[in-house]
Amino acid sequence: MKNLRKELPLLSTTTYLNTASSGLLSHSMLEYRQLHDQMFLNKGSTFRDQQQSFLNNVRETIANFFGNTNGETALVPNFSLGLNTVLHGFQKDNKVLLLDDDYPSINFAVAAKGFEICYAKIDAEVERTIENAIKTHKPDIFIFSLVQYINGIAIDLDFIKNLKLKHPNLLIIADATQFCGTRTFTFNSSGIDILGCSGYKWLLGGYGNGFILFNKGILEKITPKEYKIASDTSNFDSSYTNLTARFECGHLDTFNFGSLKYSLDLLSDIGLSNIEKKINEVSAFAKEKLEALQLLEESVLRRKQHSSIFNIKADYSLFEKLNQDHIITSMRGSGIRISIHFYNTLEDIEKLINALHQYR
């Protein structure tokens, strides 16, 4: 892991605790991107002669990385566009369960399309409140973030799996942008029907790439019948009319999706289990130190398991102080959000804690 830090030049001058906002660009990724554009420069349109084969390889890499060998994988520029495309295929009489204060790209997108909405509260017992909301409101669809972007509360994966067993007709859609790349995960057996992710955060894939995973048979189920009729009667090439084309309409950028594939290959070489172990080690240390300073909210402290995102009680003046000390964080909600990836160290947390003591 120490050698990998050398791949990320920002870490030599900065304590970077902000992956929940954006992952870092590595030296090797920059070299890959430069080679990509050099080939485009030299070859022009012929550079994309093999684009379909290349993009199929990207889809295969994503499917294997996240254990989606039974379903379909669609490439999208980001999670938000992918989710909006999913929502456009639903009838307005569907009732949707959301989490209070979840990511705006979820909650606003659902509200803006006129669905009937019910909510579950995000607290220390969020799984129980979700279960109660389902019993009370009987929603058709449940859409949520696996990890909450403000305070890092992570929905228990075993709970989701059991939820699907209890409610097999409930369509479960998850935003995994703050999750994918932080721990081992197998989509096939997760209980999630549709999972979306942007690649620029924990996957370190840069901007402009993401994906949607569909469990077996789900893509067929959520495709509007009008689209299927048009597809069956069309004479156009299937790349324009197949089920994933609804998500992949227009050109797909080999620069952006090639960057995602390059990063997934790198993370595979490191090993997700090794990444998870390092994140857990540094996050546990951070939680202990922040708890001692009484900076964490009660709902986080009461959870048995937590992600590597924390929101500390603080104001903008402290945020500016951290910036001056070259400690990069984000203002989110009513406090300062810190986020820990595999390239962070115990020393990074010590620097943060020392800065907090100095501020006090």
Side-chain angles (χ1 to χ4, degrees):
M1 293 295 179
K2 289 183 178 180
N3 289 333
L4 287 168
R5 282 175 63 89
K6 296 177 182 178
E7 273 278 303
L8 305 164
L10 185 64
L11 299 182
S12 64
T13 60
T14 302
T15 301
Y16 193 77
L17 298 171
N18 205 28
T19 301
S21 180
S22 175
L24 295 177
L25 183 70
S26 66
H27 277 301
S28 60
M29 174 73 85
L30 179 61
E31 292 172 359
Y32 167 80
R33 290 176 165 215
Q34 289 173 332
L35 178 60
H36 175 282
D37 278 359
Q38 186 66 46
M39 293 175 67
F40 185 23
L41 179 71
N42 294 334
K43 295 187 175 184
S45 64
T46 61
F47 170 61
R48 287 178 63 91
D49 284 350
Q50 303 300 318
Q51 64 168 313
Q52 289 303 324
S53 176
F54 177 82
L55 293 171
N56 283 337
N57 192 236
V58 175
R59 294 185 192 93
E60 183 179 351
T61 298
I62 294 169
N64 290 333
F65 190 91
F66 294 106
N68 184 33
T69 53
N70 295 331
E72 287 85 22
T73 299
L75 304 178
V76 293
N78 54 62
F79 164 78
S80 300
L81 281 171
L83 176 63
N84 272 276
T85 304
V86 169
L87 294 176
H88 278 302
F90 294 150
Q91 298 295 320
K92 293 299 186 292
D93 58 356
N94 280 294
K95 183 184 291 188
V96 182
L97 172 63
L98 303 174
L99 300 181
D100 277 331
D101 300 320
D102 205 340
Y103 196 50
S105 287
I106 296 175
N107 287 15
F108 178 73
V110 173
K113 288 174 177 58
F115 294 104
E116 183 180 355
I117 302 173
C118 53
Y119 291 93
K121 185 178 180 181
I122 301 170
D123 57 17
E125 298 180 331
V126 62
E127 290 84 6
R128 180 181 61 81
T129 62
I130 291 169
E131 185 69 69
N132 288 341
I134 291 172
K135 291 179 181 177
T136 301
H137 301 289
K138 297 178 174 54
D140 304 292
I141 306 167
F142 174 35
I143 310 177
F144 67 103
S145 296
L146 277 172
V147 175
Q148 293 300 301
Y149 79 108
I150 292 180
N151 60 12
I153 285 181
I155 309 301
D156 184 82
L157 292 177
D158 288 334
F159 165 77
I160 296 298
K161 188 183 298 186
N162 291 328
L163 189 69
K164 188 62 179 180
L165 292 174
K166 292 179 183 177
H167 307 278
N169 294 324
L170 177 68
L171 188 71
I172 299 178
I173 304 175
D175 172 12
T177 300
Q178 298 289 13
F179 171 82
C180 286
T182 64
R183 57 175 290 183
T184 56
F185 175 71
T186 302
F187 176 70
N188 285 344
S189 58
S190 67
I192 298 169
D193 295 301
I194 303 172
L195 180 143
C197 178
S198 294
Y200 69 95
K201 296 187 179 186
W202 304 89
L203 296 177
L204 314 183
Y207 290 86
N209 59 66
F211 55 86
I212 305 287
L213 307 181
F214 301 92
N215 222 327
K216 186 176 182 180
I218 293 298
L219 183 56
E220 169 77 25
K221 181 178 179 181
I222 68 160
T223 301
K225 64 179 182 180
E226 295 83 0
Y227 186 94
K228 294 177 186 176
I229 293 171
S231 177
D232 291 341
T233 58
S234 172
N235 293 323
F236 293 116
D237 185 272
S238 64
S239 63
Y240 292 94
T241 62
N242 62 38
L243 299 187
T244 56
R246 193 162 68 91
F247 295 83
E248 299 181 345
C249 53
H251 76 273
L252 295 175
D253 191 345
T254 55
F255 179 92
N256 292 331
F257 288 107
S259 295
L260 178 58
K261 181 187 184 308
Y262 184 91
S263 188
L264 292 180
D265 288 340
L266 174 62
L267 296 179
S268 294
D269 289 341
I270 299 170
L272 264 180
S273 59
N274 294 325
I275 290 172
E276 181 178 352
K277 181 179 179 181
K278 179 65 184 300
I279 289 175
N280 288 344
E281 175 193 1
V282 180
S283 296
F285 181 71
K287 185 178 181 183
E288 177 186 345
K289 294 292 185 179
L290 295 171
E291 181 178 0
L293 293 175
Q294 299 181 329
L295 291 175
L296 297 178
E297 60 185 80
E298 183 65 24
S299 60
V300 170
L301 295 176
R302 289 171 56 194
R303 300 281 291 173
K304 291 182 179 180
Q305 293 183 327
H306 190 69
S307 71
S308 60
I309 297 174
F310 300 93
N311 197 300
I312 63 177
K313 302 170 186 176
D315 56 19
Y316 190 76
S317 60
L318 175 55
F319 176 70
E320 288 187 318
K321 161 67 176 172
L322 294 178
N323 277 336
Q324 292 167 7
D325 291 343
H326 305 290
I327 301 173
I328 307 301
T329 60
S330 292
M331 290 292 299
R332 290 293 185 274
S334 59
I336 293 175
R337 183 183 68 186
I338 69 168
S339 44
I340 298 162
H341 207 358
F342 70 89
Y343 43 66
N344 290 119
T345 64
L346 301 181
E347 289 76 17
D348 289 339
I349 305 305
E350 291 286 11
K351 289 178 183 177
L352 172 67
I353 299 302
N354 289 337
L356 295 177
H357 279 300
Q358 290 173 13
Y359 180 80
R360 285 189 167 184

